[in-house]
Amino acid sequence: MVNYLEIANSMPLWLMALPTVAMVGVQAFIFSKKAYNAAPLVDLSHEQCRHAFRIGAISAVGPAVAVFIVMIGMMAVVGAPMTWLRLNIIGSATTELTATTVGAKAMGVQLNTPEYGLTAFAASVWTMTLNGCGWLLFCGLFTHKMGKIMDHFTGGNIAVLSEICGAAVLGTASYLAVDQGLRSSPNVAAVIAAIVSMSILMKVSPKWLKEYNMGIAMIFGMIAAVAVLKLGGQ
């Protein structure tokens, strides 16, 4: 049986990912050019624009490295082309990993298991794609209505919306963590280590390090899982 990673890392997938990634680069160029052209309208000089872009580029390094750390784990599951494509569009490794897991669960299998084959990989790709398409269609059709919807659910209190979104993310992450943690001792160790390390990092890490917290917590989780596995836990 063909290993699905041979297809996930094949040249046709690289070629299919390239146009979309190139489009992102073209969009960035167009937005930058339009921003420069509009600068005189708000009394900004070209030197100020260059300075702002330079600061933005430097500031983007931190989040990019944090995503890169998580990207390595994602590449091992769905291959390099799909990882490159999805993270160029969405930019959130957390969202894409969650979608990958949901796609696998829809086929009744788990990531990084012998049962995760070509069909499960296809389901993960469809889940990631439809997740992005859904938001694109929703935002395109209903963005102008979002103000009324927010007021309806929050009663005009924006802080409530933040709590609702946070609860939704927490619920999803907790479900996936518990589901994985109950499968083996190394999984339990990984979940606990990641939770503890993330809790500590959120409290003590300086502002510049916070973008890296998720990647660091994942590394602690992996170390804990390997340690328990070496000790004979299953």
Side-chain angles (χ1 to χ4, degrees):
M1 185 175 68
V2 178
N3 187 335
Y4 81 94
L5 282 175
E6 294 180 15
I7 296 176
N9 290 303
S10 63
M11 184 56 66
L13 273 182
W14 278 109
L15 293 176
M16 284 188 286
L18 182 60
T20 303
V21 175
M23 189 182 300
V24 174
V26 171
Q27 287 178 327
F29 173 78
I30 292 174
F31 284 132
S32 299
K33 185 176 181 180
K34 286 186 175 294
Y36 269 107
N37 291 339
L41 298 177
V42 290
D43 296 326
L44 283 176
S45 66
H46 282 184
E47 180 59 35
Q48 288 174 311
C49 289
R50 285 193 291 270
H51 182 65
F53 272 82
R54 192 159 53 246
I55 292 174
I58 295 172
S59 300
V61 172
V65 172
V67 172
F68 177 77
I69 294 172
V70 184
M71 182 188 73
I72 296 174
M74 188 172 169
M75 287 173 60
V77 178
V78 297
M82 188 53 58
T83 300
W84 185 45
L85 170 65
R86 296 306 305 172
L87 294 186
N88 269 276
I89 298 174
I90 303 299
S92 172
T94 309
T95 300
E96 298 308 304
L97 278 173
T98 301
T100 302
T101 304
V102 171
K105 285 179 67 64
M107 301 304 299
V109 299
Q110 298 294 320
L111 297 179
N112 292 325
T113 62
E115 292 77 21
Y116 188 85
L118 187 58
T119 302
F121 166 71
S124 293
V125 172
W126 272 108
T127 304
M128 288 187 287
T129 303
L130 292 174
N131 179 52
C133 290
W135 278 110
L136 177 62
L137 291 173
F138 181 84
C139 292
L141 296 174
F142 302 107
T143 297
H144 63 292
K145 299 288 187 181
M146 286 302 295
K148 294 180 180 179
I149 295 174
M150 289 169 55
D151 288 339
H152 175 74
F153 282 102
T154 65
N157 186 354
I158 299 299
V160 175
L161 182 64
S162 176
E163 298 298 329
I164 293 174
C165 294
V169 173
L170 180 61
T172 303
S174 298
Y175 168 76
L176 294 173
V178 171
D179 181 65
Q180 290 293 321
L182 293 175
R183 296 182 179 276
S184 66
S185 298
N187 285 21
V188 173
V191 171
I192 294 175
I195 291 173
V196 172
S197 58
M198 177 61 87
S199 300
I200 295 173
L201 286 168
M202 290 298 292
K203 291 182 178 297
V204 303
S205 61
K207 186 177 180 179
W208 64 268
L209 188 63
K210 290 190 182 298
E211 294 288 349
Y212 299 87
N213 283 354
M214 179 184 172
I216 296 172
M218 287 182 65
I219 292 173
F220 277 116
M222 289 186 284
I223 292 173
V226 171
V228 172
L229 190 61
K230 291 292 185 181
L231 292 174
Q234 298 295 329

